[in-house]
Amino acid sequence: MTHATLFSPLALRGVTLRNRIAMSPMCQYTASDGMADDWHLVHLGSRAVGGAALIMVEATAVSPEGRITPGCLGLWDDAQVEPLARIARFIQRQGAVPGIQLAHAGRKGSCRASWEGGAPLPPCDGGWELLSASQMPFSPSSPTPRAASTADIAALLRDFANAARRAVAAGFEIVELHAAHGYLLHQFLSPLSNKRCDAYGGSPEGRNRLLIELVLAVREAIPAEMPLFVRISATDWIQGGWELADTERLCVRLKRHGVDLIDVSSGGLQPDAQIPVAPNYQVPLASHVRRAADMCTGAVGLITEARQAQEILARGDADLVFLGRELLRNPYWPMDAQRALNERRTPPLPYRSAMAG
């Protein structure tokens, strides 16, 4: 596997990214009935204008019950396709690639928005029943979810596959499955949240089964030339939980079943995890997965400086860097990084006179 520089292209199946900078999926909690609006167009479109190669739309629920909050985006209805298609078209016109993350919140759903405190949303205020691998709440103050039945799992497979088809119809060029941060697919993976005794629990193979089946279902629902990503929490940061060795074994299987890149994050399963947050703290996880599974990875988490991102790629720790909060602070970070690394700047034509040099 080759090493790269920040402004070298990356080819994945039938898609080529113009550089190695991706906008990480970040929930905005501003949708109504799952529908994207002008906020999403400006929020996502400005980062495409700013020079990022991949614009990943936030966690997009595959069913109404899969939302984190009432303000989450959705792709459970055909009416939700065109508002997202408008955004995908704009992103493409800026030379960037539109991607979308498909998700189900599981036991971390039915909450108020973060600026409203993020507390569980009761049924009297529009809340909904929660679904998880087992009847275990996220925290002592959280509602107890219902353990998914065989019928629920069959519905999940249909919902993810149908959402993937709608993503294709909307013009997205990359699909990512959200199996990190304590949401439903992560709840099935971790032994701390999955206490099932059926085919979807117990052994690592059983706990991995839902994600593998979803990958196969989504891979079948999207074109062969379309890349498929999976975001993974590589470790729970909790003794006895999901660990890096589990991630390694899973990713070997994911590659075999058609996954093209692992977006490597960590944590989120339980609120008491002790996470050693610092610049580059998740980069060794991405590096380990890249080498052990012999597949492309994305590094994410407190990557804020151009030379920092360049070094991650130059060392071969990852193939792509995902920027989150730093792109919220500065939509034009990629162009600033070009200047910092003495690369030729390529601002959009209407801005060129102001950004020359």
Side-chain angles (χ1 to χ4, degrees):
M1 298 180 73
T2 60
H3 298 186
T5 59
L6 190 59
F7 289 97
S8 60
L10 175 63
L12 297 163
R13 292 190 185 245
V15 173
T16 298
L17 303 178
R18 61 186 172 187
N19 58 51
R20 305 298 179 106
I21 303 166
M23 180 180 180
S24 197
M26 292 173 282
C27 291
Q28 299 298 291
Y29 305 130
T30 58
S32 177
D33 295 323
M35 305 281 277
D37 63 13
D38 289 349
W39 174 267
H40 301 94
L41 174 67
V42 174
H43 164 66
L44 296 161
S46 62
R47 275 74 193 176
V49 170
L54 170 60
I55 307 299
M56 189 68 75
V57 175
E58 66 191 74
T60 302
V62 300
S63 67
E65 299 77 23
R67 294 172 296 170
I68 304 167
T69 77
C72 288
L73 286 177
L75 259 179
W76 64 79
D77 190 287
D78 290 346
Q80 294 160 336
V81 171
E82 180 50 37
L84 285 168
R86 177 187 179 214
I87 294 169
R89 290 192 296 266
F90 183 86
I91 290 169
Q92 289 168 326
R93 286 200 297 270
Q94 313 315 310
V97 170
I100 191 164
Q101 185 187 70
L102 302 180
H104 192 297
R107 68 181 189 178
K108 292 181 76 173
S110 192
C111 292
R112 300 185 188 278
S114 57
W115 54 83
E116 296 174 339
L121 192 66
C124 61
D125 289 336
W128 52 89
E129 183 183 38
L130 302 181
L131 187 73
S132 188
S134 301
Q135 288 183 294
M136 301 176 64
F138 171 62
S139 72
S141 61
S142 300
T144 298
R146 176 170 58 84
S149 66
T150 302
D152 290 325
I153 289 172
L156 283 169
L157 293 170
R158 290 193 300 271
D159 289 343
F160 271 90
N162 288 335
R165 292 186 187 97
R166 293 187 182 102
V168 174
F172 289 99
E173 298 180 65
I174 292 175
V175 165
E176 177 172 277
L177 301 182
H178 196 356
H181 302 164
Y183 296 115
L184 183 63
L185 301 185
H186 187 181
Q187 292 160 31
F188 271 83
L189 293 174
S190 177
L192 297 177
S193 50
N194 185 341
K195 303 297 184 182
R196 302 173 71 95
C197 297
D198 64 0
Y200 292 91
S203 68
E205 290 74 19
R207 288 184 279 108
N208 293 350
R209 182 176 177 179
L210 177 59
L211 179 56
I212 297 293
E213 290 183 351
L214 283 173
V215 164
L216 292 171
V218 170
R219 186 75 266 173
E220 186 176 346
I222 64 178
E225 65 273 15
M226 188 174 190
L228 177 60
F229 293 8
V230 176
R231 175 165 271 195
I232 294 285
S233 279
T235 173
D236 288 338
W237 300 111
I238 301 171
Q239 185 71 28
W242 181 262
E243 298 177 348
L244 185 56
D246 299 310
T247 296
E248 176 186 329
R249 288 188 291 269
L250 171 62
C251 290
V252 169
R253 296 184 67 193
L254 293 177
K255 180 184 179 182
R256 189 185 313 142
H257 292 304
V259 172
D260 301 288
L261 182 142
I262 303 296
D263 178 0
V264 185
S265 191
S266 70
L269 186 79
Q270 293 184 181
D272 58 348
Q274 300 298 307
I275 303 176
V277 177
N280 282 8
Y281 74 106
Q282 294 177 148
V283 172
L285 304 175
S287 180
H288 181 93
V289 171
R290 186 177 192 265
R291 289 170 171 80
D294 189 28
M295 68 185 303
C296 290
T297 62
V300 63
L302 289 182
I303 300 170
T304 60
E305 303 294 334
R307 295 197 182 280
Q308 175 192 11
Q310 174 84 333
E311 288 168 5
I312 290 168
L313 297 166
R315 288 194 305 264
D317 290 333
D319 301 272
L320 197 61
V321 291
F322 283 84
L323 301 184
R325 290 179 176 87
E326 192 60 24
L327 274 180
L328 295 185
R329 290 186 283 264
N330 180 9
Y332 304 104
W333 188 95
M335 283 187 273
D336 289 346
Q338 285 177 315
R339 173 180 287 171
L341 297 173
N342 297 314
E343 296 273 350
R344 187 174 68 88
R345 301 184 85 200
T346 54
L349 286 171
Y351 291 0
R352 197 151 291 180
S353 61
M355 296 183 171

